[in-house]
Amino acid sequence: MNAQQVTEEIAEIAARAEKHADASETLDALRAVQGEVFGRKSRLSEIKKSLGSAPGDVKPVLGKAIGAANKRLNSIFAHRKAELEEQAETEMLEAERVDFSLPGRRHQRGRRHPVTRVIDEFCEIFFGMGYTIAEGPEVETDFYNFGALNMPKNHPARSDYDTLYVDHGGAAVDHGVARESEVLLRTHTSPVQIRVMESLPPPLYILAPGRCFRQDTVDATHFPTFHQIEGLAVDRGLTFGDLAGTLEQFTRQFLGASAKIRLRPDFFPFTEPSAELATWWEGRWLELGGCGMVDPAVFEAVGLDPEEWQGFAFGIGVERFAMTRYGIDDIRHFYRNDLRFLEQFL
Ligand code: FA5
């Protein structure tokens, strides 16, 4: 082994490594160069390994050369590493710079759906008359939707409601004949009357807004999902006059002082007498819902004495009411999710 030659080679390796280190543009590239120079299979490692078997006079010379090269290379790599780290940090700060002078991005503000808005305003007026809100489930049982409302099985009035039944596996069988499920989507908000009277003692003044479902064919005034607002008052000595006065007061507040209501005899199994509520709007009468005095059979179903308590109830179609209020000609507009329609309601 020629000490002179190897010393020169070590100096060359160091000079080449310095060039490559300086040319490295990233920390990864620098690490790769470092690996090549100091790696186990590198020429420098080979020389280091051969040091053990080198002749006695060559050993100190080579040892010194290797030590010097190591020192030089370590300082070169450390220096370049510091430079690249600083550069990376500067780039990151630049990329993440926040420009405080940029105008902010505005949040798009939503607004209440006209149906929600009518319900809110409706409730507001009745709060003023001392009413509170009650709620019931949208998936009901036959008992609450029909039975307790004086519509036993096979009652002809049931056919007025195109009911959607819920199939949850166990088909009911009556005298060998399969019949509809006991579970259904409520066809009106009237079952809430029963739930309230079962759980709270009178006097009661409650309002129950909510979604109802019927298998109705879609047209300008029918939709399979729609909303009703139920009202129920139970107290001593209530009369039909109280019902008429309440509805008139409400309509005036909602539609204006000149608004007129019309109550015409109607039939609902759960009220007696019953009436159809209509309002005068742009030259014609519009039917809004039904109402009447709570039928004694309903009081009996919930364990209230009909001699002691009287009551009135009403159920109003929210979409139809909103159509009257805003001059909307087709119920389908409410559910098309067309912003051009919805944005007209502040
Ligand atoms: C009832 O549902 C009774 N529960 C109302 C009632 C309550 C009477 C309390 C007496 C005492 P009716 O089936 O007429 O009644 O429905 C009431 C209103 O709901 C209708 O006038 C209408 O405004 C609305 N309505 C009914 N079906 C639909 C439908 N498919 N789409 C939109 N609105 C509907």
Side-chain angles (χ1 to χ4, degrees), residues 49 64 96 123 166 189:
K49 264 184 249 153
K64 215 173 145 199
E96 291 179 3
C123 293
V166 178
T189 42

Side-chain angles (χ1 to χ4, degrees), residues 32-92:
V33 174
Q34 213 167 354
E36 264 167 44
V37 177
F38 292 119
R40 272 199 291 138
K41 286 184 186 149
S42 68
R43 178 70 187 129
L44 201 59
S45 296
E46 232 171 67
I47 297 171
K48 278 183 202 162
K49 264 184 249 153
S50 66
L51 197 59
S53 54
D57 56 334
V58 173
K59 225 183 229 179
V61 182
L62 279 190
K64 215 173 145 199
I66 290 172
N70 263 346
K71 204 171 155 199
R72 182 172 160 208
L73 285 172
N74 281 335
S75 119
I76 286 166
F77 283 118
H79 180 71
R80 185 63 185 148
K81 187 169 171 240
E83 269 178 2
L84 287 173
E85 276 172 352
E86 200 186 310
Q87 189 181 317
E89 188 165 322
T90 312
E91 277 167 15
M92 192 187 76

Side-chain angles (χ1 to χ4, degrees), residues 161 188 190 193 214 216 221-223 226 228 230 268 270-271 287-292 313-315 317 320 331:
Y161 302 91
H188 51 176
S190 299
Q193 288 186 34
R214 288 184 200 178
D216 283 339
T221 52
H222 292 84
F223 211 74
F226 59 98
Q228 285 188 349
E230 193 82 10
F268 295 100
F270 37 94
T271 46
E287 185 207 314
L288 297 177
C291 59
F314 54 86
R320 301 253 183 102
I331 196 169

Side-chain angles (χ1 to χ4, degrees), residues 73-297:
L73 285 172
N74 281 335
S75 119
I76 286 166
F77 283 118
H79 180 71
R80 185 63 185 148
K81 187 169 171 240
E83 269 178 2
L84 287 173
E85 276 172 352
E86 200 186 310
Q87 189 181 317
E89 188 165 322
T90 312
E91 277 167 15
M92 192 187 76
L93 287 176
E94 193 57 38
E96 291 179 3
R97 199 156 89 177
V98 177
D99 181 353
F100 291 104
S101 68
L102 275 178
R105 248 178 253 144
R106 275 187 195 286
H107 285 291
Q108 261 207 319
R109 280 185 70 178
R111 48 190 90 198
R112 281 179 301 171
H113 190 277
V115 167
T116 311
R117 192 181 150 168
V118 165
I119 291 175
D120 289 351
E121 284 183 40
F122 204 109
C123 293
E124 210 52 55
I125 294 172
F126 276 92
F127 289 160
M129 294 193 242
Y131 282 66
T132 53
I133 296 279
E135 277 188 326
E138 290 175 353
V139 179
E140 261 299 1
T141 62
D142 185 281
F143 173 76
Y144 286 103
N145 198 78
F146 292 125
L149 288 163
N150 200 23
M151 276 182 276
K153 300 250 152 73
N154 304 321
H155 193 287
R158 284 187 179 215
S159 58
D160 291 342
Y161 302 91
D162 293 306
T163 311
L164 290 154
Y165 289 90
V166 178
D167 178 2
H168 55 93
V173 177
D174 218 355
H175 301 292
V177 181
R179 63 176 161 73
E180 285 138 340
S181 156
E182 291 287 326
V183 182
L184 45 83
L185 299 183
R186 69 176 178 196
T187 58
H188 51 176
T189 42
S190 299
V192 185
Q193 288 186 34
I194 305 299
R195 291 186 176 272
V196 168
M197 286 191 280
E198 270 184 350
S199 57
L200 295 169
L204 292 166
Y205 289 87
I206 62 105
L207 216 52
R211 255 197 307 179
C212 306
F213 310 85
R214 288 184 200 178
Q215 219 175 333
D216 283 339
T217 308
V218 175
D219 64 22
T221 52
H222 292 84
F223 211 74
T225 302
F226 59 98
H227 295 75
Q228 285 188 349
I229 298 182
E230 193 82 10
L232 171 72
V234 180
D235 210 333
R236 290 188 178 93
L238 285 180
T239 66
F240 198 89
D242 296 311
L243 168 62
T246 303
L247 289 173
E248 191 163 55
Q249 168 69 15
F250 155 73
T251 331
R252 287 212 182 119
Q253 269 187 261
F254 209 118
L255 297 173
S258 61
K260 275 193 289 192
I261 62 161
R262 182 187 70 187
L263 292 169
R264 282 206 309 196
D266 200 344
F267 173 78
F268 295 100
F270 37 94
T271 46
E272 181 57 35
S274 304
E276 172 211 276
L277 168 69
T279 180
W280 184 252
W281 185 257
E282 299 195 335
R284 61 198 175 111
W285 289 105
L286 283 166
E287 185 207 314
L288 297 177
C291 59
M293 300 306 289
V294 178
D295 194 292

